[in-house]
Amino acid sequence: MLDSLTRYFVAISALTVGLSSAVAMIMLSAYLSIFDWTLIWIIEYSDLAKLALVGTALASGIYITAFQYIQSIYDAYTDKTKFRYFIFGFMILIWGLTTGRELYLDYASNGPLYSYHLAKTLSWGLFLFIAFVGPSHLADWTQRKWSVIGSDISMLTVFLGLTAATFAFYTRDVSENSHEIKTKSATFDRTKIIMMLSHHVVFMVEKRVVVIPASDVVKIETVAVR
């Protein structure tokens, strides 16, 4: 494995940076669009580069650690077909009961968390589907079956978008973390920080999305949740 990494280090590094940048763009766009899709236009290359670098560091560690185990896990996974279907069916049952209960309670009470629970249901459902189908597609990727590769990439893109949207709904509707933001001319109480960018700070105040220059921020204090 180390010989392969050394031989193709440049190609693997370029691929990792490219994938991390693409993932950062997808998830950032999906996350910000829940609050206001126009926020996408204040994203700068420095913001994207920072997120891509963080993603590259995380992805590199995951790739190097997990690569040597993929083949052995895949062999054990495919050799026990009945056991695989049993585990998948059991996970689907737990997922269906848990998320079904949440959605029913939201529908019955007209609760404000319906969007969050729906996004979480879809993202977890798609994750289980990818976990079940993914290993059986490894051979198709090795054989360069582009139709399978394209469909898998599309499915993964949707999953990443749903995951980012779920986190956005959590930040907007569920999280009780709040901050006090002091600027040069005003103080904003009980805010929810959406994102801190290189030149902007984006936050919510009473369901309003506010964008201010980062240079105007004097202090940010976290309000403890009791």
Side-chain angles (χ1 to χ4, degrees):
M1 177 183 174
L2 292 178
D3 292 339
S4 298
L5 290 176
T6 303
R7 186 182 308 171
Y8 302 106
F9 178 77
V10 175
I12 293 175
S13 299
L15 180 61
T16 302
V17 172
L19 288 176
S20 300
S21 300
V23 169
M25 292 176 62
I26 293 169
M27 299 193 73
L28 191 59
S29 299
Y31 174 77
L32 293 178
S33 63
I34 298 301
F35 301 97
D36 186 349
W37 70 271
T38 58
L39 293 174
I40 297 173
W41 302 114
I42 67 173
I43 302 297
E44 301 179 6
Y45 287 112
S46 57
D47 301 317
L48 190 60
K50 180 168 58 178
L51 293 172
L53 286 174
V54 173
T56 299
L58 293 175
S60 299
I62 292 173
Y63 294 157
I64 294 174
T65 304
F67 183 80
Q68 55 186 329
Y69 300 105
I70 290 178
Q71 188 61 49
S72 58
I73 292 175
Y74 173 70
D75 292 339
Y77 190 80
T78 53
D79 288 343
K80 301 177 181 179
T81 305
K82 293 182 179 179
F83 180 73
R84 175 165 59 109
Y85 278 101
F86 172 78
I87 292 297
F88 181 71
F90 180 75
M91 294 175 67
I92 287 292
L93 177 63
I94 298 300
W95 166 75
L97 292 176
T98 303
T99 58
R101 177 179 177 274
E102 290 177 341
L103 292 175
Y104 173 76
L105 292 177
D106 287 335
Y107 174 79
S109 61
N110 195 23
L113 302 182
Y114 182 79
S115 297
Y116 166 68
H117 287 149
L118 180 60
K120 186 175 71 169
T121 298
L122 294 175
S123 59
W124 271 108
L126 192 55
F127 171 78
L128 292 175
F129 181 78
I130 292 174
F132 180 74
V133 175
S136 63
H137 286 185
L138 290 178
D140 294 330
W141 279 65
T142 304
Q143 298 173 9
R144 298 179 182 178
K145 293 184 178 180
W146 298 111
S147 59
V148 176
I149 294 175
S151 63
D152 287 347
I153 292 176
S154 299
M155 190 180 304
L156 184 60
T157 301
V158 174
F159 168 71
L160 293 174
L162 281 173
T163 302
T166 301
F167 182 66
F169 284 125
Y170 175 83
T171 302
R172 190 189 70 179
D173 301 330
V174 181
S175 176
E176 296 182 357
N177 294 329
S178 63
H179 302 81
E180 182 183 89
I181 300 177
K182 295 183 179 180
T183 67
K184 296 177 181 178
S185 58
T187 299
F188 299 92
D189 296 322
R190 298 180 179 179
T191 68
K192 289 186 177 182
I193 295 180
I194 298 173
M195 183 161 285
M196 299 182 66
L197 304 172
S198 299
H199 298 97
H200 298 88
V201 177
V202 187
F203 57 92
M204 288 188 65
V205 181
E206 298 178 353
K207 298 183 179 181
R208 293 183 296 116
V209 177
V210 180
V211 181
I212 60 175
S215 58
D216 287 351
V217 177
V218 177
K219 182 170 63 174
I220 298 178
E221 293 183 353
T222 301
V223 179
V225 178
R226 296 180 180 178

